[in-house]
Amino acid sequence: MPLTSPKIIYLLFFFSGAAGLIYEIVWGRLLVLIFGSTTNSIVAVISAFLGGLAIGSLLFGQIADRLPAKKLIKTYSLLEIGIGLSAAATLVLLEVIKSIYANFSDGSSVTLGLLLFKFALTILVLSVPTILMGATLPILVRFAQSQNQSQGKSVSLLYAINTLGGVAGVLVSAFILIEIFGLQNSLLVAVAINLTIGTFASFIRASDKNLKIKKVQNLQIGQILTPDKLIVLIAFFLSGLISIAYEVLWSRIFTPTIGTLIYAFATVLAIYILGIGIGSLVYEQFAKVIKRKNLAFAICEAGIGIFAIASVILTHKFVIDNGFRIAAIILPATILMGLTFPAVVALLKNEKHTGKIVGASYFANTAGSITGGFLASLLFIPVFGSSPSVLILASLNLTIAIIFIAKETTASLLKYASLSTVLVFIVFGFWFSIHYSNIPFFHFLFFSSFFRNRQFRRRNRQIVPLLPVQR
């Protein structure tokens, strides 16, 4: 018998998020066993994963707008089944690339050429399932919109539920599945989840009276993006870059204080995803309070930057020795990160092209995340160190915030650009004081004496893998 309530789709998307993070954890650890446990190996794995999500969201965002409403849920069903089957096939592909990679390296080299080779092999393994994963969000947002939900509500609710499912996936995989069943069997559990979701989704039937989506003119994403909207996408690209770089940097800062790498990474990642899920969930209430859309996005970016700066100060003034204290430090910033996605979709709002808008937004943010992962590993950490890099990135958050405040007001853009320059200088000065604290001005302004001991600098430059290796 068909499931008459389309609301069941939210429960299914929760489990879809859980399965997706189980895959990420398991794939990361399996690929690290092949490539070696260098940070660059981890970046290659995560970048390939995020790249697939980005491509899937962009491609299927355009397809979603062309599909008749009755076929949207059927498409989602097929996507989930496709994810499960292609993810199962990765177990075979992993053995293939293991043989290929063994001919080129013993897993200990960190050259740029080898990094690109790792990235190419990882894409070979992860491309199909991750592209299909990225396709699910724009398809379901379009379907939810057909069920009398606004664009903003459907985006925030689906994104929040899927993200909170991801929290469950991280915790279950790290603390239960892998410990009991091992890596390969844990991946097969996620495969079974996807196949079950796809089967259940195939029985969902929406009533005809709710199917409000009409066929719209077939426009490419470039045709619906005005210069103003393009600025929003560029800002969201930078926001994604900054956010993933924070994740890498915070993982390095906090992992030594928690314990073993397996549980430390799971704790940090779960807190990070939990904050993003909470932010997406409360967006509707946030939007009712802050009704000016540019200002809403600016508040999010400014808050992220301020809390990031606070994280550096707190982690070096106090002993951070458990997950609760880590959550207290990074959760506020990650909640604001969760608000940014629905806030950007609201800025780009176009009810007739929901799929394209959601797909383009997700693509821009995820492409930024990939870039941020590489920059954190290859530039920020080796050149500046972890905590100074957080401060530099915070200045970018504040700059984005000021630009969008300027867009919301009639005040001179030059005035806000000048203020932005001052803020960049202040935060850069904060970093500068860490390395050159003998200069009186910076020493006085940023009370940097507690940054000066050498143990602080060594700790922030140590190499800690972003994903745990197999025990």
Side-chain angles (χ1 to χ4, degrees):
M1 180 179 291
L3 300 172
T4 56
S5 174
K7 291 183 180 180
I8 191 70
I9 203 67
Y10 293 103
L11 179 62
L12 297 182
F13 208 40
F14 174 88
F15 285 105
S16 180
L21 266 293
I22 293 173
Y23 289 134
E24 183 177 359
I25 294 291
V26 173
W27 282 331
R29 291 180 63 181
L30 287 173
L31 285 165
V32 160
L33 292 175
I34 298 172
F35 294 152
S37 59
T38 66
T39 302
N40 289 342
S41 298
I42 303 303
V43 170
V45 171
I46 294 178
S47 297
F49 186 90
L50 293 174
L53 297 181
I55 293 170
S57 66
L58 186 65
L59 292 178
F60 280 80
Q62 301 190 58
I63 293 172
D65 288 332
R66 298 199 299 264
L67 285 175
K70 291 182 179 180
K71 291 186 178 180
L72 287 167
I73 198 61
K74 180 66 174 178
T75 302
Y76 174 68
S77 171
L78 294 174
L79 286 172
E80 291 288 354
I81 293 172
I83 292 168
L85 295 176
S86 58
T90 62
L91 292 176
V92 177
L93 291 173
L94 284 166
E95 293 300 318
V96 174
I97 70 166
K98 183 177 181 180
S99 301
I100 296 173
Y101 189 71
N103 294 324
F104 292 88
S105 172
D106 60 1
S108 61
S109 178
V110 294
T111 65
L112 178 60
L114 198 57
L115 174 61
L116 295 175
F117 185 54
K118 293 174 184 179
F119 187 50
L121 290 177
T122 307
I123 290 174
L124 175 66
V125 175
L126 304 187
S127 58
V128 175
T130 54
I131 286 172
L132 296 178
M133 287 179 201
T136 57
L137 181 62
I139 292 290
L140 281 188
V141 168
R142 192 66 169 160
F143 174 75
Q145 190 184 7
S146 75
Q147 306 305 302
N148 295 328
Q149 281 199 6
S150 67
Q151 187 184 81
K153 183 177 181 180
S154 59
V155 169
S156 60
L157 189 56
L158 283 166
Y159 188 60
I161 288 172
N162 188 251
T163 303
L164 293 174
V167 177
V170 170
L171 296 177
V172 169
S173 62
F175 293 97
I176 300 176
L177 289 179
I178 294 174
E179 293 292 329
I180 296 175
F181 301 112
L183 292 172
Q184 294 190 354
N185 288 333
S186 296
L187 187 140
L188 292 176
V189 169
V191 168
I193 292 173
N194 282 123
L195 295 178
T196 302
I197 292 169
T199 302
F200 270 94
S202 67
F203 291 107
I204 295 177
R205 298 290 183 272
S207 58
D208 291 337
K209 65 180 180 180
N210 286 334
L211 296 174
K212 287 190 165 185
I213 294 181
K214 298 178 181 179
K215 191 172 181 180
V216 296
Q217 186 180 0
N218 185 19
L219 298 176
Q220 297 300 314
I221 184 63
Q223 295 175 276
I224 62 175
L225 287 180
T226 63
D228 244 16
K229 290 181 177 180
L230 189 58
I231 291 173
V232 174
L233 286 181
I234 293 171
F236 202 37
F237 170 89
L238 292 174
S239 181
L241 183 157
I242 295 165
S243 296
I244 202 69
Y246 281 147
E247 183 180 357
V248 175
L249 296 168
W250 281 332
S251 294
R252 289 172 170 275
I253 292 170
F254 292 126
T255 296
T257 70
I258 300 175
T260 63
L261 294 177
I262 293 174
Y263 300 119
F265 174 76
T267 302
V268 172
L269 183 59
I271 293 170
Y272 207 87
I273 299 173
L274 176 64
I276 291 173
I278 293 172
S280 302
L281 199 60
V282 302
Y283 171 75
E284 195 174 2
Q285 287 70 38
F286 175 75
K288 289 178 181 177
V289 177
I290 312 295
K291 296 182 179 180
R292 301 172 78 175
K293 296 174 183 177
N294 283 300
L295 182 60
F297 183 63
I299 288 172
C300 293
E301 290 296 322
I304 293 167
I306 291 168
F307 282 117
I309 293 171
S311 75
V312 174
I313 297 172
L314 292 173
T315 52
H316 295 95
K317 277 213 151 205
F318 302 98
V319 176
I320 311 299
D321 56 2
N322 58 62
F324 293 106
R325 292 185 178 183
I326 291 175
I329 290 173
I330 67 176
L331 193 61
T334 59
I335 290 174
L336 291 168
M337 291 175 194
L339 287 169
T340 57
F341 183 48
V344 163
V345 172
L347 279 168
L348 300 174
K349 186 174 181 179
N350 188 322
E351 296 286 351
K352 292 182 178 180
H353 299 281
T354 298
K356 293 184 182 69
I357 292 299
V358 172
S361 302
Y362 196 66
F363 176 84
N365 189 250
T366 309
S369 297
I370 295 169
T371 307
F374 276 103
L375 288 179
S377 175
L378 301 175
L379 175 65
F380 289 124
I381 292 168
V383 175
F384 304 114
S386 297
S387 292
S389 296
V390 170
L391 299 174
I392 293 169
L393 292 167
S395 70
L396 293 178
N397 282 124
L398 295 172
T399 301
I400 294 170
I402 291 168
I403 290 171
F404 278 81
I405 290 172
K407 282 167 63 66
E408 189 65 57
T409 66
T410 57
S412 168
L413 181 60
L414 181 61
K415 173 183 175 181
Y416 286 99
S418 301
L419 181 57
S420 174
T421 303
V422 172
L423 286 172
V424 170
F425 173 77
I426 289 173
V427 180
F428 180 78
F430 200 167
W431 165 79
F432 194 85
S433 70
I434 294 171
H435 291 272
Y436 302 96
S437 54
N438 58 316
I439 297 177
F441 170 74
F442 291 108
H443 183 272
F444 172 76
L445 185 59
F446 301 113
F447 49 88
S448 61
S449 58
F450 66 90
F451 286 111
R452 287 185 295 173
N453 77 59
R454 295 176 183 176
Q455 183 179 1
F456 162 76
R457 291 176 193 155
R458 286 200 302 270
R459 184 175 68 177
N460 281 284
R461 292 179 185 274
Q462 65 183 325
I463 300 300
V464 179
L466 186 57
L467 287 175
V469 295
Q470 190 177 32
R471 300 172 74 178

